[in-house]
């Protein structure tokens, strides 16, 4: 067995491999980009080597740096995880040249299955069913002729594509002519191969894949199948094992077909054979082979009680597996479902979201496995895949697994950057998913609209505050936080019928511009401020109805006062820190990531907040009188300095009015 293994990856898969190595008493070496220095995989590894700053090309994809780290630490083997160098045949050969074991298939197997047209040839030779398609196409003219013979719609594919890159659905000749050059360019730029081919597009398709493991000597074992049909832009969102609504005869045929294909090349280590299943005909067709561990391998492990990472490591170390004994021991139990949590914003077309995570909390529940790399205080970098965690649940049956998934997602807390957690919570309760009737186009029509406020412009210093705020911590150097004018703030919440502790916004001198995704009610209070809802001016001290999609533009605070307040029905949702949601900017905690708002921030509201207790207006005698004069109680300090402050100086101090400058600190009094 190896004494030390280097993990050439990051994120949840790196943590997963490290923890398996610990169980095997094998030392681990983590590599990391500087932006990942606080990642759990760096903390958990026995050793860690920094690959420098920059994106993937300068770090996790730099073969020379990876091999130098292996040599410097004495690692005998490299586990590539998934993505990055996991299917790079040149990297495998470099490892072999330096006497380092690559924990995965041979470079020849990676190459042959990496080119989809060659994989189709192997599948055809092994008797694997193929959908109508072509060999590599020479030019657009050949493509148009082939598509006409197959019949539209067709899928135009880059032969070296992966992860949904280099695939284009074409419903007509016009679509094909418009996509041909673009797909070739994508293949050339992303995979250094501009070869393309065409396959028949199946309108109502399911994506079924079979987990396999080969001993490298012709023995191949199928370890169940997974349904990965819940996809968005060809990227999987929900994966489950076993596949629902699949006949036992089809299931057995899928397993046997996958084994036959990989046995034909004496496949080594873990891999996945992917199929398209035609819902209308009940037929299945070969799609591709992934020559690596899949992101969704955990659902197979939960159902079959195996550790695929351990199998991979022991085989690479030269321990020959007893495939017959493993086959006899395979017995599926229950149902497992996985969802992927990403730092992305579904409301903004799933754009990546990089920022500080000021709250990370995952539940510890029976039958729930969380593969993750983040914890509270980690900043998500913008350079890499935005997956934060995989939530994997296992239960006796599918309905129980779905209920457990809903519970696990409901108890998960993530705050700071935008994630798809709310989207996944809604998806886990969708009727189509619950019925197991998902196809690969299903998520095209699934919509989830969160209750949120988008910060278009942030104003001078707009912060989240609450009442009675954060008090009682002077002894540890933390002054009281909260709204300066807590009377106006409390009145605004009272108008809305909110609880006294509901969080709202404090606006200083210049207000923000905010866009509301869902209907709600608001109150503007405090110092006079120009405010428009869309193009219509709106008053202070009134409950205002805001429709979904409306924009609130807050201008300058008028002559009297410096701070206005915006409260919303149900309050703004953010984590409590030292018992308060108030922002303490100097201490960099509380509120939204411990700082004033910035353009691009998102504030979360309480969905369907009950505003039955809202009032139309306040009695006039309750409204505050706001001006720029304040009378403060001042006492002499314990240490006088009469040589500097004479009695005359003290009289001068008390006899005059003083102005607090706009550059004065909030904590300056």
């Amino acid at each position: 067995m190896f004494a030390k293994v280097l993990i050439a990856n990051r994120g949840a898969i790196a943590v997963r491999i490290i923890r398996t190595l610990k169980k095997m008493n094998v030392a681990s070496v983590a590599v990391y980009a500087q932006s990942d220095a606080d990642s759990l995989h760096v903390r958990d590894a026995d050793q860690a080597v920094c690959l420098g700053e920059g994106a993937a090309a300068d770090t996790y994809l730099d073969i020379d740096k990876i091999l130098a780290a292996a040599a410097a630490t004495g690692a005998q083997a490299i586990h590539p995880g998934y993505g990055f160098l996991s299917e790079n045949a040149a990297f495998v050969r470099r490892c072999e040249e330096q006497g380092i074991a690559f924990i995965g298939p041979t470079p020849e197997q990676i190459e042959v299955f990496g080119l989809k047209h060659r994989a189709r040839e192997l599948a055809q030779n092994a008797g694997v069913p193929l959908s109508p398609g072509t060999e590599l196409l020479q030019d657009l003219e050949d493509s148009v002729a082939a598509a006409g013979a197959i019949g539209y719609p067709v899928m135009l594919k880059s032969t070296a594509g992966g992860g949904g890159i280099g695939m284009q659905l074409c419903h007509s000749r016009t679509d094909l002519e418009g996509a041909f050059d673009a797909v070739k360019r994508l293949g050339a730029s992303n995979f250094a191969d501009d070869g393309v081919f065409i396959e028949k597009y199946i309108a109502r398709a399911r994506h079924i894949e079979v987990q396999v493991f080969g001993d490298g000597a012709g023995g191949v074992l199928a370890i169940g199948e997974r349904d990965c049909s819940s996809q968005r832009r060809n990227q999987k969102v929900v994966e489950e094992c076993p596949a629902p609504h699949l006949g036992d005869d089809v299931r057995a045929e899928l397993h046997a077909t996958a084994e036959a294909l990989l046995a034909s090349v004496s496949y080594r280590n873990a891999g996945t054979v992917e199929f398209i299943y035609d819902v209308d005909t009940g037929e299945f067709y070969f799609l591709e082979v992934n020559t690596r561990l899949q992101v969704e391998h955990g659902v197979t492990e939960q159902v079959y009680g195996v550790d695929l990472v351990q199998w991979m490591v022991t085989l690479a170390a030269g321990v020959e597996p007893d495939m017959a004994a493993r086959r006899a021991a395979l017995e599926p139990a229950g149902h497992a479902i996985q969802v992927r949590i990403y730092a992305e914003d579904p409301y903004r077309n799933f754009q990546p979201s990089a920022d500080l995570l000021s709250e990370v909390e995952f539940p510890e529940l029976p039958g729930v496995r969380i593969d993750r790399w983040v914890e509270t205080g980690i900043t998500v970098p913008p350079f890499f895949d935005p997956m934060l965690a995989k939530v994997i649940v296992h239960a006796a049956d599918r309905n129980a697994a779905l209920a457990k998934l809903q519970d696990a997602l409901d108890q998960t807390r993530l705050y700071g950057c935008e994630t798809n957690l709310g989207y996944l919570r809604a998806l886990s309760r969708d009727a189509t998913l619950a019925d197991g009737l998902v196809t690969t186009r299903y998520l095209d029509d699934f919509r989830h609209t969160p209750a949120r406020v988008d910060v278009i412009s942030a104003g001078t210093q707009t912060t989240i505050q609450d009442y009675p705020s954060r008090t009682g911590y002077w002894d540890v150097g933390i002054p009281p936080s909260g709204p300066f004018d807590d009377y106006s703030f409390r009145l605004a919440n009272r108008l809305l019928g909110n609880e006294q502790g509901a969080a709202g916004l404090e606006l200083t001198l210049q207000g923000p511009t905010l866009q509301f995704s869902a209907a709600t009610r608001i109150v503007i209070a405090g110092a006079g401020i120009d405010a428009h809802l869309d193009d219509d001016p709106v008053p202070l001290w009134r409950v205002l109805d805001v429709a979904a999609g409306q924009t609130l533009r807050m201008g300058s605070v008028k002559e009297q006062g410096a701070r206005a307040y915006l409260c919303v029905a149900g309050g703004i949702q953010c984590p409590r820190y030292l018992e308060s949601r108030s922002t303490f900017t100097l201490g960099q905690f509380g509120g939204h990531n411990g700082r004033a708002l910035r353009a691009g921030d998102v504030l979360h509201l309480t969905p369907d907040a009950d505003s039955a207790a809202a009032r139309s207006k306040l009695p006039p005698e309750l409204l505050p009188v706001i001006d720029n004069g304040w009378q403060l109680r001042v006492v002499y300090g314990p240490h006088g300095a009469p040589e500097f402050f004479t009695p005359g100086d003290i009289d001068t101090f008390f006899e005059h009015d003083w102005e607090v400058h706009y550059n004065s600190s909030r904590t300056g009094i």
Side-chain angles (χ1 to χ4, degrees):
M1 183 52 62
F2 302 120
K4 188 180 293 185
V5 172
L6 181 143
I7 301 92
N9 216 298
R10 67 179 295 275
I13 185 57
V15 176
R16 160 85 175 91
I17 296 168
I18 289 167
R19 292 180 178 176
T20 292
L21 292 174
K22 285 187 185 296
K23 291 189 299 181
M24 300 173 67
N25 294 316
V26 175
S28 57
V29 179
V31 292
Y32 64 97
Q34 185 58 48
S35 57
D36 278 336
D38 295 326
S39 171
L40 288 183
H41 86 281
V42 178
R43 188 191 70 185
D44 288 356
D46 296 299
Q47 288 179 263
V49 178
C50 182
L51 300 174
E53 297 182 350
D58 300 315
T59 54
Y60 299 104
L61 288 174
D62 191 319
I63 293 176
D64 291 334
K65 287 183 179 179
I66 299 289
L67 293 177
T73 58
Q76 300 157 296
I78 292 178
H79 197 306
Y82 42 66
F84 292 133
L85 297 171
S86 61
E87 294 178 287
N88 187 309
F91 176 59
V92 182
R93 290 192 172 95
R94 290 281 302 276
C95 289
E96 292 175 345
E97 290 170 3
Q98 296 195 19
I100 299 172
F102 178 80
I103 302 175
T106 68
E108 293 78 18
Q109 290 164 351
I110 291 174
E111 286 173 335
V112 74
F113 286 120
L115 296 174
K116 292 184 175 64
H117 74 286
R118 286 286 291 117
R120 280 177 62 90
E121 291 174 7
L122 284 175
Q124 187 171 26
N125 294 338
V128 179
L130 297 174
S131 63
T134 70
E135 304 296 328
L136 284 184
L137 297 164
Q138 297 300 315
D139 51 35
L140 177 59
E141 185 178 345
D142 288 344
S143 301
V144 169
I150 293 171
Y152 291 99
V154 297
M155 189 69 80
L156 179 65
K157 293 184 175 183
S158 167
T159 184
I165 300 172
M167 297 173 59
Q168 184 66 52
L169 175 61
C170 303
H171 290 278
S172 64
R173 174 172 177 165
T174 301
D175 289 349
L176 179 59
E177 290 173 343
F180 186 81
D181 289 338
V183 171
K184 285 180 72 69
R185 283 195 302 271
L186 279 171
S189 61
N190 286 279
F191 310 105
D193 191 328
D194 69 349
V196 296
F197 67 102
I198 284 175
E199 282 184 344
K200 175 66 178 175
Y201 174 71
I202 297 171
R204 295 210 317 138
R206 291 173 63 186
H207 187 130
I208 309 293
E209 61 186 32
V210 178
Q211 177 67 58
V212 292
F213 192 87
D215 62 8
V220 176
L221 178 62
I223 315 167
E225 82 291 333
R226 302 182 285 255
D227 189 309
C228 304
S229 303
S230 296
Q231 300 180 8
R232 186 190 60 79
R233 297 175 185 161
N234 301 306
Q235 292 287 337
K236 300 161 189 172
V237 178
V238 182
E239 299 110 344
E240 52 185 307
C241 175
H245 305 308
L246 203 63
D248 289 340
D249 54 340
V250 175
R251 203 182 309 274
E253 191 176 354
L254 281 166
H255 297 178
T257 300
E259 289 182 350
L261 173 58
L262 294 198
S264 69
V265 296
S266 296
Y267 189 80
R268 182 185 78 184
N269 223 291
T272 302
V273 184
E274 302 194 354
F275 298 92
I276 287 295
Y277 178 82
D278 191 329
V279 173
D280 295 321
T281 66
E283 301 291 330
F284 66 84
Y285 305 101
F286 172 75
L287 182 62
E288 64 180 351
V289 173
N290 283 295
T291 54
R292 55 174 167 79
L293 198 64
Q294 292 279 84
V295 178
E296 59 272 18
H297 72 276
V299 292
T300 298
E301 292 182 324
Q302 297 302 104
V303 169
Y304 284 89
V306 300
D307 188 327
L308 290 169
V309 172
Q310 185 171 346
W311 283 19
M312 296 176 75
V313 174
T314 54
L315 178 64
V319 180
E320 295 185 8
D322 186 338
M323 300 293 277
R326 285 184 176 178
R327 185 182 298 276
L330 279 184
E331 188 65 38
H335 198 94
I337 304 175
Q338 171 181 289
V339 295
R340 310 180 187 193
I341 297 180
Y342 283 96
E344 63 183 12
D345 189 349
Y347 186 69
R348 295 295 181 195
N349 201 26
F350 296 89
Q351 68 183 17
S353 175
D355 206 340
L356 170 70
L357 281 169
S358 56
E359 182 183 47
V360 175
E361 183 178 329
F362 290 101
E364 295 183 6
L365 299 170
V368 176
R369 166 179 154 185
I370 311 291
D371 288 0
R372 64 186 175 101
W373 67 273
V374 293
E375 60 184 353
T376 299
I378 278 182
T379 296
V380 179
F383 307 116
F384 312 113
D385 181 271
M387 188 171 71
L388 303 178
K390 300 181 292 181
V391 177
I392 306 165
V393 298
H394 181 235
D397 56 52
R398 188 173 186 272
N399 288 337
L402 266 176
K404 187 170 289 187
L405 176 65
Q406 293 163 6
D407 193 25
L409 292 175
D410 288 346
Q411 293 189 47
T412 297
R413 296 286 178 267
L414 296 169
Y415 188 89
C417 64
E418 283 306 287
T419 73
N420 65 337
L421 180 58
Y423 176 87
L424 293 175
R425 286 172 178 161
L427 179 59
S428 70
R429 291 171 167 84
D430 184 71
T432 302
L433 181 67
D435 293 338
L437 302 177
V438 175
T439 65
T440 54
R441 309 298 291 185
Y442 150 67
L443 289 183
D444 291 353
D445 300 318
F446 178 79
R447 296 291 182 270
H448 166 63
T449 301
R452 61 187 256 171
V453 178
D454 284 77
V455 180
I456 308 303
S457 64
T460 304
Q461 180 167 316
T462 304
T463 57
I464 297 175
Q465 303 294 338
D466 67 356
Y467 182 86
S469 69
R470 187 179 300 106
T471 58
Y473 294 98
W474 260 125
D475 57 333
V476 291
I478 299 175
S481 300
F484 259 82
D485 179 3
D486 64 77
Y487 181 72
S488 293
F489 185 84
R490 286 181 287 145
L491 283 180
N493 273 327
R494 178 176 173 179
L495 267 169
L496 286 165
N498 286 344
E499 295 180 358
Q500 180 174 264
L505 295 181
E506 181 175 79
L507 325 175
T508 305
L509 296 178
Q510 177 72 33
T513 298
L514 308 170
Q515 186 176 64
F516 294 78
S517 73
T520 188
R521 309 182 89 181
I522 65 172
V523 167
I524 305 168
I529 188 170
D530 290 319
H532 288 76
L533 192 57
D534 289 340
D535 296 324
D536 300 321
V538 290
L540 275 66
W541 303 109
R542 294 286 188 274
V543 175
L544 305 172
D545 290 309
V546 179
Q550 284 197 292
T551 299
L552 178 67
R553 293 177 175 84
M554 311 284 281
S556 299
V557 171
K558 296 177 181 176
E559 292 181 2
Q560 302 298 310
R563 291 177 175 85
Y565 296 90
L566 173 68
C567 292
V568 297
I572 292 171
Q573 303 305 302
C574 69
R576 295 182 186 274
Y577 190 90
L578 296 178
E579 305 175 50
S580 171
R581 293 188 173 94
S582 287
T583 309
F584 178 31
T585 54
L586 187 62
Q588 298 182 357
F589 55 73
H592 186 78
N593 285 354
R595 57 171 171 79
L597 298 185
R598 301 170 184 160
D601 284 341
V602 176
L603 305 176
H604 294 271
L605 306 181
T606 304
D608 305 315
D610 182 11
S611 56
R615 305 161 183 249
S616 59
K617 61 181 180 178
L618 291 170
E621 62 270 19
L622 289 183
L623 294 177
V625 175
I626 296 176
D627 59 31
N628 288 336
W630 294 77
Q631 189 173 52
L632 303 179
R633 179 172 179 263
V634 179
V635 296
Y636 289 98
H639 304 292
E643 66 273 24
F644 294 108
F645 285 95
T646 66
D649 294 329
I650 298 300
D651 291 340
T652 300
F653 182 82
F654 283 118
E655 289 170 358
H656 285 78
D657 293 333
W658 296 86
E659 179 181 352
V660 179
H661 192 266
Y662 56 80
N663 282 335
S664 299
S665 168
R666 272 181 61 95
T667 56
I669 297 175

